[in-house]
Structures are given as structure tokens and as C-alpha cells.
Amino acid sequence: MKILLTGGSGFIGRELVKHLTTHQVVMLTRSPARAKAAVNHADMGNISYVSSLDKYHDFNEFDAVINLAGEPIADKRWSKVQKKEICDSRWGLTEKLVDLIHASTAPPAVLISGSAVGYYGDQQAHPFDEDLHVHSQGFPHHVCATWENIANRARSEYTRVCTLRTGIVLAPDGGALKKMLPPYKCGVGGPIGNGKQYMPWIHMLDMVRAIVYLLETEHAQGPFNLCAPHPVTNQYFSKVLARTLKRPHFLFTPKWVLKLAIGESSVLLFDSIRAKPRKLTELGFRFSYSRLAPALKNLLQHHE
């Protein structure tokens, strides 16, 4: 396949390109030189780089589009300016992709576009799957619902659309786990708040394998929860992480401290999301890491 990839030099994209070596990949990036350095480990001569969509009048040359680009949602406080950047970086680019798909006489067969489990908001301890209907005023839901609605406009008899409601992607070199490791290694890690909130996690390997699976499964379409079949509470996650690192586990961070420190974005830490990947498993996808303990053991085997 010839694939247009956005967000290819990001946290997930850098790993995904390792699994696309049999395909021709065109990576959209603001800095081709920086992107080339970021994915040099996976470039088998099959990756080319473009800095703008302006050169395209349609997407007739592409078989698929994978859209992972977007300002990280958890890296900064949610000021008005930051919220606008989070939204614009997702919605604006996706609109351009959809417009070019519509302009094509032989459009890509699939658009795979990002989203997140933040779409669901706080669901407490109730398990649910992709069929859950959500009415939320929360910012994460607003971002994801609008993002998905824009992507879904590309759907036609020629183009299927898959949206990736992504959980907490676990990898030692980035994302949430990288931020969590320093305090745990120092013996001061522990649950946040009462620790009862559910965390829909997924091993990075399963994350990128699932994207490739959706790319290659011609009848796959609609929203997919990209998270392991067994979400766990924050307290359980914290306990297993401490045990894996052979560190103590007795401290906790009060909810008010984090609310004070990071403001409104603390909902990302306290919303309880017990999401199940029903549609993915019904398609036949098999997780390499469906349970947390083996996943963390694999990810942290090289950490002292």
C-alpha cells in the first residue's frame, strides 16, 4: 500500500513505522529533517517526507491515510490558548484530509484517524464498550467527538473510516509511564486520589499492531477502543508498577494537590474509564498483552 501518515514522528507514530516497512509511507511533517532523524531506525528506504498538503489536489495516489497528528493533550495546563491549539491541531488537519479524500476520483480505501477514551468522560466503575452513547460537557469529550465527526465525513462506498479511541499507551520511553517512573524508582510512587478510578491501558506493541490490523481488515469501520481487555484501577496499577520495580508502595497524592498543580486537565487522571475493546476482539484481534503485570514486566525488563 501507499500510505499517507500524519503524526509519524510522535510517540505512537515512531513505533508504528516499524510495522509499515512493507508499505510505501509518505509522512506529513512540519520538519522533514527532524522527522527523518526520529524514524531513522525504521526507514528501510520506504519513507518519504512532505511538509505540506498544498502539493495535493486529491488523494488518488494513496491507498490509505493514517491520521495521528495532534498537540499532546496532557503536557500543559489547559489555558484558553492551549485548548485552542489542542483542538485546531486535530480538527483543522483532519478537515483538510477529508476534503482531499472527497476531491479524489479513486479515493483511499481507508482513513484511520485518532481519538481517545476521553470521549467517554467519567463512567465510574461501570464497564462499557463502543456502543455506549455519551452526552458530556467535558473538554476531552468535546475534542474527541468533534474530531471523530470530522473524520467520519470521509466515509463513502469507497472509503471506510476507523476512529481510534486510544487508552493510556504504555512504553518506557514516552507517554504516561515515562512520567510515572521517576517517583516510583525513588520509592515515593503511589495511587492518586482514592485510586478507585479505572485506567484503560494498552501496551505499545498492541497499539501499533491494532492499527495495522485495522488497516488490513477490509470490513473494519467505526470507532474502536484501543485498550487492553482488562482495565484496572489506579490503585491496582500503582501496586503492580511498584512491585515490578521492586519499590515500596504506601504514599498517595491527594486529589486537591493535583487539581491545584495542573488545573482542569486533572480530569485526565481522575475520570474513571472502564472501556472494553469489544469491536477489536470480535474482529479477531488477539492482544499480546491483555493483563497488566506481564505488560509492565516486558516494558520494564531493562530498568533497574
Side-chain angles (χ1 to χ4, degrees):
M1 292 187 198
K2 186 173 184 180
I3 302 168
L4 178 70
L5 173 64
T6 78
S9 60
F11 176 49
I12 296 170
R14 291 194 305 271
E15 192 66 26
L16 176 62
V17 291
K18 296 179 184 177
H19 295 254
L20 297 176
T21 54
T22 59
H23 302 285
Q24 185 181 355
V25 177
V26 177
M27 188 182 297
L28 177 67
T29 171
R30 285 175 291 188
S31 175
R34 200 158 53 231
K36 192 169 186 177
V39 301
N40 186 57
H41 62 288
D43 191 344
M44 302 299 164
N46 65 312
I47 304 176
S48 57
Y49 305 84
V50 293
S51 58
S52 171
L53 290 175
D54 292 345
K55 66 174 287 187
Y56 298 106
H57 301 291
D58 57 56
F59 278 167
N60 286 335
E61 68 184 83
F62 293 109
D63 302 298
V65 177
I66 302 176
N67 177 31
L68 304 179
E71 172 75 8
I73 197 168
D75 281 7
K76 299 176 183 177
R77 285 182 76 98
W78 289 349
S79 64
K80 286 184 179 180
V81 172
Q82 183 62 11
K83 280 185 173 182
K84 186 175 187 303
E85 177 62 26
I86 287 168
C87 294
D88 290 351
S89 63
R90 289 161 172 76
W91 303 346
L93 175 59
T94 306
E95 283 180 338
K96 290 179 182 178
L97 297 174
V98 171
D99 287 346
L100 286 164
I101 290 172
H102 283 162
S104 307
T105 54
V110 60
L111 167 63
I112 297 176
S113 192
S115 186
V117 292
Y119 171 91
Y120 297 108
D122 186 9
Q123 298 297 326
Q124 301 178 20
H126 306 296
F128 60 87
D129 59 32
E130 295 88 350
D131 287 339
L132 182 69
H133 294 286
V134 179
H135 302 283
S136 170
Q137 301 300 314
F139 179 64
H141 173 77
H142 175 58
V143 172
C144 295
T146 305
W147 197 9
E148 290 186 20
N149 287 338
I150 295 168
N152 285 331
R153 292 175 198 159
R155 184 178 296 131
S156 72
E157 60 182 309
Y158 308 106
T159 303
R160 59 189 174 90
V161 176
C162 300
T163 52
L164 312 176
R165 293 178 181 169
T166 305
I168 300 168
V169 182
L170 300 181
D173 57 348
L177 187 57
K178 183 180 180 180
K179 294 178 182 178
M180 295 173 75
L181 284 176
Y184 277 85
K185 285 184 172 183
C186 293
V188 293
I192 54 177
N194 62 21
K196 293 181 180 179
Q197 64 273 33
Y198 274 84
M199 300 173 60
W201 63 275
I202 185 170
H203 190 295
M204 176 64 89
L205 175 62
D206 284 327
M207 179 70 202
V208 297
R209 285 183 57 244
I211 294 174
V212 174
Y213 194 83
L214 293 175
L215 177 71
E216 297 176 347
T217 303
E218 294 182 359
H219 57 284
Q221 61 181 322
F224 289 87
N225 291 339
L226 264 66
C227 45
H230 303 287
V232 298
T233 63
N234 174 257
Q235 185 175 33
Y236 182 84
F237 186 99
S238 178
K239 182 179 179 180
V240 174
L241 178 57
R243 186 172 67 218
T244 304
L245 292 169
K246 299 181 173 60
R247 295 294 190 273
H249 176 258
F250 58 88
L251 297 175
F252 75 98
T253 305
K255 188 172 183 177
W256 68 267
V257 171
L258 284 165
K259 277 192 168 183
L260 188 65
I262 61 176
E264 185 185 354
S265 63
S266 63
V267 299
L268 298 173
L269 300 174
F270 294 112
D271 280 358
S272 183
I273 302 175
R274 198 175 179 181
K276 298 279 191 172
R278 178 185 60 82
K279 286 184 62 178
L280 197 56
T281 53
E282 285 184 353
L283 275 182
F285 181 79
R286 294 291 177 262
F287 285 82
S288 297
Y289 297 94
S290 61
R291 299 280 183 178
L292 181 64
L296 287 178
K297 183 178 180 182
N298 170 263
L299 291 165
L300 301 175
Q301 60 186 335
H302 300 302
H303 284 259
E304 295 183 355

